[in-house]
Amino acid sequence: QAHLRDELGVLADGLGVQVHPQGYQFPTAWAQAASWNPDGPRTVGEVAARQARDVGIHVLFSPLLDIARDIRWGRVHETYGEDPELVAQMGLAFIHGVQGDGGDSGTLATGKHFLGYGHSLGALNQASTQLGRRELTDTYAEPFRRAIAAGLSLVMASYNDVDGVPASGNSWLLKDLLREQLGFNGLVVSDYGAISMLHSIYLTAPDARHAAAQALTAGLDVELPSAATTGGLRS
């Protein structure tokens, strides 16, 4: 148990269930979506949640609610595909499997990545997303809208910038769209090291402390995987 917990840490992505020799492995989300049967992702969510709880983990960083329409993108196999309706139905099934129909399973699901992460220039990972607000809101946010209405507990902001503004420091994205328009009232967490990228990659902040302030002001609640930037702020 202790060894397994150390190996898993907080990874617990749940994409094909636990990434560990002792965990069950299922087809990727892309393959699950090809079945057109939401019962599959629901079962995967149930098994992932049960295995996570067995080692003391209560948050899964899944499902991916990204819409992916360019097969060159390296993470396309982690998504449920290109259609908002299919992504929404598969994602909802997984969430209900993880959290239970009444949200009482003892495990929470995380919808990611918010937003437009799978629509990057040249299909490059972490590259810029150049979509208008209408398409972002009506198409790419639709799976999140449905998941939030069904009780999604956490949302993970994405690495990419949206029209030149990094998602982790984008108040329109995380406050106006996610909180106000979509009605999300759960926790917003960063992707791993994304806040540090505000000063190391995007140069919108001069140092780690300013990056932390920028992200928290924009609407992020929790830095992952550690307090690399937020640890420098005054309590």
Side-chain angles (χ1 to χ4, degrees), residues 20-231:
H20 192 277
Q22 296 179 33
Y24 292 118
Q25 295 296 306
F26 290 95
T28 64
W30 208 20
Q32 293 170 38
S35 71
W36 299 88
N37 185 355
D39 290 342
R42 181 178 182 116
T43 298
V44 173
E46 290 172 348
V47 173
R50 184 173 66 249
Q51 291 188 332
R53 288 193 300 271
D54 285 345
V55 294
I57 293 173
H58 297 279
V59 176
L60 295 183
F61 294 147
S62 285
L64 261 77
L65 298 176
D66 296 304
I67 294 172
R69 294 179 170 175
D70 190 332
I71 61 173
R72 297 176 300 170
W73 190 51
R75 301 187 64 173
V76 70
H77 67 286
E78 298 178 38
T79 76
Y80 293 117
E82 64 182 0
D83 182 75
E85 180 65 24
L86 181 60
V87 173
Q89 292 209 21
M90 293 292 175
L92 282 174
F94 182 89
I95 292 165
H96 286 309
V98 171
Q99 299 189 165
D101 290 328
D104 55 0
S105 74
T107 310
L108 305 178
T110 305
K112 63 185 190 183
H113 305 84
F114 201 79
L115 187 63
Y117 187 43
H119 186 90
S120 57
L121 285 175
L124 297 173
N125 194 36
Q126 303 179 12
S128 180
T129 295
Q130 294 186 344
L131 290 169
R133 291 189 176 185
R134 175 70 177 270
E135 189 170 7
L136 273 171
T137 302
D138 290 355
T139 301
Y140 287 81
E142 180 61 20
F144 289 91
R145 187 192 320 274
R146 301 268 287 277
I148 290 166
L152 178 66
S153 298
L154 291 88
V155 166
M156 180 181 289
S158 51
Y159 282 124
N160 58 302
D161 70 78
V162 177
D163 197 23
V165 182
S168 296
N170 192 326
S171 61
W172 174 80
L173 204 65
L174 301 181
K175 288 184 176 179
D176 297 351
L177 179 56
L178 181 60
R179 297 291 191 188
E180 298 298 325
Q181 293 190 46
L182 304 187
F184 182 64
N185 60 6
L187 280 176
V188 180
V189 301
S190 77
D191 209 334
Y192 271 32
I195 298 180
S196 296
M197 291 172 61
L198 294 177
H199 72 88
S200 64
I201 302 296
Y202 292 112
L203 306 181
T204 58
D207 53 38
R209 290 190 304 115
H210 284 83
Q214 185 180 108
L216 295 176
T217 301
L220 272 175
D221 298 313
V222 179
E223 179 179 25
L224 298 175
S226 65
T229 65
T230 53

